[in-house]
Amino acid sequence: MQLDPRRMAILLAVYRNGGIVAASDTLRISPSAISQQIRLLEKEAGVQLLERTPRGAQLTSAGRLLTDAAERIEAEITGAQRELLASSGQSVTGMVRVGSFQTGILALLLPVREQISQLHPGIELRIYELDDAVSRRRLRSGELDMMLLEADESVTFTPTRSTKDIPLTSDPWVLAVPPHQPVPASLSELTKLNWLDMDISTAGGAAMRRLEGALGHRFNSTNEINDYSTGLTMVAQGLGYCLVPQLALGSFPAPAGVVLHHLTGLGGRKVVLRHRATRLEPDAAASEVIRLLTAKGH
């Protein structure tokens, strides 16, 4: 049995993109050419690799074995390229586009950008502050190479096809207490507070809903916020309590009078790097950004 690794990479693209037509857009070859290469690979393997269904092409168990092998080959090639560049003294060049939320930019991306400017001046790191849904859409379309995701610890991330998730950091939630207001000694006392609410689609909002569920009580709130810097300013004016991730406090110091309370049981926020993972991605420049972000996060 002689398997062509190039055809295995095409099968992997079909799996990651969810079908032959979508894979043709990523690989920039026609659907008929992809189908032909898959048939040739099936002939080489001696087994069926794709099952054609009304919902599209699905991997068989043999197909899953080969896509797993193709991912290992892809990872080995990427690693070898990185080691060759390092050993030869060649500088890594290229443009890397990253979408992120505000605190991810301030606490992670900007420090990494400084490192890159010193280590790899040939890498151009472009940073876009975007809503989560916009970043996800641009990542799928290839307009972004990677994005940062934030979520409460109760949320599970599921990477889409053609992407891979890397956990970067987990930081505890901190309770911001307005000036001259009581500091709760236990979680049960949170039910007595007036809160700055956040939408459940945000990490802070999901954390509040988790705590409400655990306490069996809906928090009282008269105002709503969308970012932590606004929240801290409103807390300083006595408009309510709010949750702030520890990582954000490095970028937004608490105003005078605000008490930052590390209350046991609040839980934490997690930050994940999601990057495109295809036959040609990540390239050497993106791989270096991933490496530096991973080191910064940990």
Side-chain angles (χ1 to χ4, degrees), residues 150-154 170-176 198 202-208 210-211 228 242-246 249 261-270:
E150 65 162 347
D152 179 60
E153 62 180 33
S154 60
S170 178
D171 56 320
W173 289 111
V174 179
L175 182 65
M198 299 187 78
T202 66
M208 291 180 66
R210 170 175 54 79
L211 291 168
Y228 305 117
C242 79
L243 294 176
V244 182
Q246 179 70 47
L249 294 172
H261 183 38
H262 294 261
L263 180 62
T264 302
L266 287 179
R269 176 189 74 161
K270 56 187 176 183

Side-chain angles (χ1 to χ4, degrees), residues 228-244:
Y228 305 117
S229 58
T230 301
L232 287 169
T233 301
M234 292 174 69
V235 170
Q237 294 188 16
L239 296 178
Y241 293 68
C242 79
L243 294 176
V244 182

Side-chain angles (χ1 to χ4, degrees), residues 91-111:
S91 59
V92 181
T93 62
M95 181 176 66
V96 181
R97 303 155 301 174
V98 189
S100 178
F101 51 93
Q102 185 184 46
T103 54
I105 291 174
L106 297 174
L108 296 171
L109 287 174
L110 291 182

